[in-house]
Amino acid sequence: MDSKLIETLDKLNREHSLELEEYQLLIENINPDLMKRAAEYAVKYQEQFYGKKVFVRGLVEFTNYCKNDCYYCGIRRGNRECERYRLRKDDIIACANEGYQLGFRTVVLQGGEDYTYSDEDICEIIKGIKQSHPDMVITLSIGERERSSYEAYYEAGARRFLLRHETASSELYDKLHPEEMSFEHRMNCLRELKDIGYQVGAGFMVQSPGQTAADLAKDLKFIEEFKPDMCGIGPFISHKDTPFAKEESGTMEMTLFLLSLLRIIYPQMLIPATTALGTIDPKGREKGILAGANVLMPNLSPTSVRKMYTLYDNKICTGEEAAECIACLKGRVSSIGYEVVTDAGNRAGFIEKR
Ligand code: SAM
Ligand code: FES
């Protein structure tokens, strides 16, 4: 293998930082030997901070209504083919409670940007879950809101927030989103969430339409500098009823390589092996863990609505009951010598502000 590539990867392993051009060089020259070396470094850090443990978070997809029109997303408001649903507050709380019975100590409430749920509604849901289960850690993934709203949810008891930045290139951001959406605003939300004290998850799509190696290099540099507690990445996968229906999906190889690089960049970070990765390859999530990921997010949504939360074509796990999903994941994880743990799973070294 090219000694310049090895030197660059080894520099990253030593310094946990590279210049943009160096990240770009690695991405442009991805090859099986380089992936293998990166995965070896990544697994070493994974072991150091998390042993052979894989954390699970139960995902409740509670609404597929969205005010946004992201060109890649199957539940964008412009998709007239999408059958819409919205879970009642009680049903959302019941899903979380079911998750608790199944052993989950953290739940992710995710949805499109649906302002039908007011701040009061979101706070009621959070308090409703915390009331029955004070030790349940609540993660929100409901998009961009005002700082005052984020503060209210924190006060109500939410402690984590997932908001992928989608891309750290403002030019690419503008190609993936309509004009009314703002790169700066999204990035600012991430800074505010961190400032309030949330454990924050950023993240990006791999090989989204028009994305270059230079764009991906910016994503890695952003993660290196911003240091989110979690970084979720998955391949872009086309959806038949979106403007990107005919675009090519991202590859497993590039996603795995980036997972390893992320682990080396910030060894303590929580890194999920995503459903999108499991969708492009039947063993995608296992391979993701072997490349450095340490989190899985099985679905806790009622099976009656699962198929309607279709962000991209052929999404997996839309038929199984929650209990089946967790049993399936435990089997997959143990088949590669790891172990599913159901505790809340903080980022290694995280100290709560207040
Ligand atoms: N509305 C919330 C938000 O904007 O953060 C959360 C829901 S959103 C559907 C969750 C994530 O799905 C997005 O951040 C995006 O990265 C991912 N996603 C959407 N469409 C996708 C696609 N076609 N392929 C892969 N990932 C996709
Ligand atoms: Fe809103 Fe995808 S466009 S969640």
Side-chain angles (χ1 to χ4, degrees), residues 238-259:
S238 62
H239 184 291
K240 63 182 177 34
D241 301 316
T242 63
F244 289 158
K246 300 242 150 43
E247 298 289 338
E248 240 178 83
S249 296
T251 66
M252 188 178 64
E253 286 70 26
M254 185 57 85
T255 310
L256 295 177
F257 185 46
L258 292 168
L259 284 172

Side-chain angles (χ1 to χ4, degrees), residues 66 68-70 73 75-76 112-113:
C66 190
N68 291 333
D69 221 6
C70 310
C73 184
I75 63 169
R76 63 198 296 269
E113 282 192 24

Side-chain angles (χ1 to χ4, degrees), residues 66 68 70 72-75 110-113 141-144 161-164 166 186 203-205 234-239 276 309 311-312:
C66 190
N68 291 333
C70 310
Y72 45 84
C73 184
I75 63 169
Q110 190 180 83
E113 282 192 24
S141 179
I142 57 174
E144 299 170 42
F161 204 106
L162 307 183
L163 185 78
R164 289 185 175 186
E166 310 297 2
R186 197 161 182 94
F204 54 94
M205 277 181 298
F236 157 76
I237 305 176
S238 62
H239 184 291
Y309 200 84
L311 308 178
Y312 42 79

Side-chain angles (χ1 to χ4, degrees), residues 2-14 17-19 21-26 34 41 261:
D2 186 341
S3 63
K4 179 88 174 90
L5 293 177
I6 297 181
E7 272 168 37
T8 308
L9 184 60
D10 288 0
K11 177 180 169 193
L12 179 64
N13 186 45
R14 270 193 323 275
S17 167
L18 289 179
E19 300 299 325
E21 303 71 44
E22 294 172 316
Y23 281 129
Q24 187 175 336
L25 179 84
L26 291 178
L34 195 63
Y41 288 141
L261 295 183

